[in-house]
Amino acid sequence: MRRDLYTDDHEQYRETVREFLAREVVPHHDRWEADRWIDREVLATAAQQGIYGLQIGEEYGGADERDYRYRMVVCEEIARVHALSFGLTIALQDDLVLHYLLDLTDDEQKRRWLPGLASGDILGALAMTEPGTGSDLRGIRTSARPDGDDWILNGQKTFITSGMMADLVIVAARTDPDAGSRGFSLLVVERDMPGFTRGRKLDKIGLPAQDTAELFFEDVRVPATHVLGTPGTGLQQLMSHLPRERLGGTAMAMATSRAIFDLTRDYCFDRQAFGKPIGDFQHIRFELAEMATEIDVAEAYVDRSVRAYNAGELTPVDAAKGKWFVTELQKRVVDRCLQLHGGYGYMTEYPVGRAYVDTRVQTIYGGTTEIMKELIGRDLASKGRG
């Protein structure tokens, strides 16, 4: 089935992304994985060449381009070269940090932070998760109390993507313990603020080059000018920005599923067993046929979601549907592709083996599959009751 998501402009951009990845990422990615750290310089180069941060306004050094199809191109090309640690690092900037800073900052805040993000000199992180709080954001215990023109921030966050590398962190904190859902705010903490420290870099089973950290805040004095939006609206801000985050997870899952499938299809018709390619055995052909069909059908939903997002019509429920279904599909496809590679699939020198551990987190972060189904189920229940 012919795909009609992209225009010639998107395909020209694809060539730019491919050239960048071939020059700046592919030669170094194995070293980054071994070192468990991505060279900071490549992120600045990526920003300057428009690989991420396109949506930043021209007055701050960006391209003011908000068409999500360009983001999809980047996801697809990163998946094609199997550089998923790098991909998640820049996805954090595009699908989370910048989305908050573009929507919620005033002019002074934009002038303070956006030029550095556009140049790649500043990297951001979003700190929601705590040791005892995951998807239930109302359980956040990190707190901030007013003190003159400042807020005094105390608490701990964990599983924070790019937490070690980040120059600024958007922190979700409880600012009014008696206000219920209206008692949370988002505060921007900068690298050099006294009392802000980083714990250990967490040792994950996958995505080794992408740093994930614990963060600690002990009497951090945060100026009132570092609050995003109106104090007390933090929970609503977090909820309203989840569709973009979940679309980002869906896009990367879709791109990775196709990239690993394409690799496996070619392998099956190269690999010989019993005197012929294993792809000539009916069972293998059926496996490939099932995966090809599932990927094509899911891709149609993802493409429709991208168009809906561009039109401002992607709902939280529709984003949740794509997020759980496509990430579960990805998990299933990668597992089946590894099986078709046989023993070679278990070797880290093969992309399918690395993808097996790198993609496992997709059904967890950004909201687990179970939480996505709960959101969809609640929506169905409300409609069913009229």
Side-chain angles (χ1 to χ4, degrees):
M1 186 176 294
R2 185 178 68 86
R3 192 181 185 197
D4 61 357
L5 182 65
Y6 299 117
T7 67
D8 289 343
D9 287 343
H10 299 110
E11 296 303 335
Q12 291 173 15
Y13 178 69
R14 186 184 303 276
E15 291 304 314
T16 298
V17 176
R18 281 187 178 177
E19 291 173 6
F20 169 84
L21 292 171
R23 184 179 64 253
E24 304 288 348
V25 174
V26 173
H28 309 291
H29 200 263
D30 286 348
R31 174 173 57 83
W32 296 340
E33 298 280 89
D35 293 345
R36 299 178 60 238
W37 189 258
I38 295 172
D39 293 340
R40 178 66 182 256
E41 295 76 16
V42 73
L43 300 171
T45 304
Q48 292 159 16
Q49 297 192 13
I51 307 303
Y52 74 91
L54 284 176
Q55 65 265 48
I56 298 173
E58 293 180 359
E59 65 271 38
Y60 304 111
D64 202 17
E65 178 56 76
R66 301 204 178 201
D67 181 350
Y68 198 83
R69 289 177 291 181
Y70 290 101
R71 176 85 191 97
M72 281 287 295
V73 167
V74 173
C75 289
E76 290 169 358
E77 292 307 308
I78 286 174
R80 189 179 64 84
V81 299
H82 315 294
L84 299 186
S85 289
F86 174 79
L88 180 57
T89 301
I90 65 171
L92 169 68
Q93 306 305 309
D94 261 353
D95 290 327
L96 280 84
V97 175
L98 280 171
H99 196 38
Y100 282 86
L101 294 180
L102 289 169
D103 289 352
L104 301 175
T105 48
D106 57 31
D107 289 342
E108 180 181 345
Q109 291 170 329
K110 284 181 169 64
R111 287 191 295 270
R112 181 180 182 90
W113 295 312
L114 291 184
L117 287 157
S119 68
D121 294 325
I122 292 177
L123 292 175
L126 180 64
M128 291 190 288
T129 305
E130 299 181 4
T133 302
S135 297
D136 181 12
L137 297 176
R138 289 177 176 82
I140 288 173
R141 301 184 60 162
T142 295
S143 64
R145 57 178 175 81
D147 184 55
D149 292 332
D150 302 330
W151 292 87
I152 306 301
L153 177 66
N154 283 280
Q156 176 183 353
K157 301 290 183 177
T158 194
F159 305 144
I160 306 306
T161 305
S162 295
M164 302 297 289
M165 193 177 284
D167 301 291
L168 63 83
V169 182
I170 301 170
V171 181
R174 186 183 293 272
T175 49
D176 187 342
D178 300 320
S181 63
R182 306 293 297 183
F184 299 88
S185 303
L186 301 181
L187 290 73
V188 177
V189 175
E190 294 179 331
R191 173 180 289 277
D192 57 355
M193 287 184 173
F196 170 36
T197 58
R198 303 163 208 257
R200 62 194 177 101
K201 183 166 64 171
L202 300 175
D203 192 8
K204 310 185 297 294
I205 65 170
L207 299 166
Q210 191 285 310
D211 84 81
T212 304
E214 298 172 321
L215 305 180
F216 300 92
F217 309 93
E218 184 175 357
D219 291 333
V220 180
R221 184 169 290 275
V222 182
T225 55
H226 283 222
V227 176
L228 294 184
T230 304
T233 60
L235 191 61
Q236 291 72 31
Q237 293 162 354
L238 290 170
M239 299 301 291
S240 67
H241 286 77
L242 284 173
R244 168 71 181 242
E245 177 183 357
R246 288 168 180 163
L247 178 61
T250 303
M252 200 66 231
M254 191 74 257
T256 305
S257 298
R258 184 168 291 284
I260 295 299
F261 171 78
D262 288 346
L263 187 76
T264 303
R265 177 200 58 211
D266 294 345
Y267 177 84
C268 287
F269 290 100
D270 287 337
R271 173 73 168 165
Q272 298 279 326
F274 303 102
K276 61 181 180 180
I278 64 171
D280 286 342
F281 291 97
Q282 185 185 65
H283 174 76
I284 303 299
R285 289 202 306 270
F286 280 11
E287 287 278 323
L288 294 173
E290 289 174 9
M291 287 189 284
T293 302
E294 290 177 306
I295 289 169
D296 281 354
V297 171
E299 189 174 71
Y301 186 89
V302 175
D303 288 357
R304 187 174 175 184
S305 296
V306 170
R307 289 192 170 98
Y309 178 81
N310 279 348
E313 298 171 354
L314 182 65
T315 69
V317 170
D318 288 341
K321 290 176 180 177
K323 201 275 181 182
W324 89 256
F325 185 84
V326 180
T327 58
E328 290 289 345
L329 171 64
Q330 174 194 28
K331 188 169 67 174
R332 189 166 65 251
V333 165
V334 171
D335 181 72
R336 290 161 77 183
C337 286
L338 189 150
Q339 184 72 21
L340 293 179
H341 275 76
Y344 291 104
Y346 202 62
M347 301 297 108
T348 57
E349 64 191 271
Y350 277 70
V352 66
R354 297 195 300 272
Y356 184 77
V357 290
D358 284 347
T359 65
R360 183 58 185 86
V361 73
Q362 287 277 78
T363 60
I364 299 173
Y365 68 37
T368 64
T369 292
E370 293 75 18
I371 292 295
M372 297 302 97
K373 291 179 180 180
E374 178 65 18
L375 294 174
I376 298 162
R378 289 178 185 177
D379 181 67
L380 293 172
S382 68
K383 292 176 179 176
R385 295 189 179 97

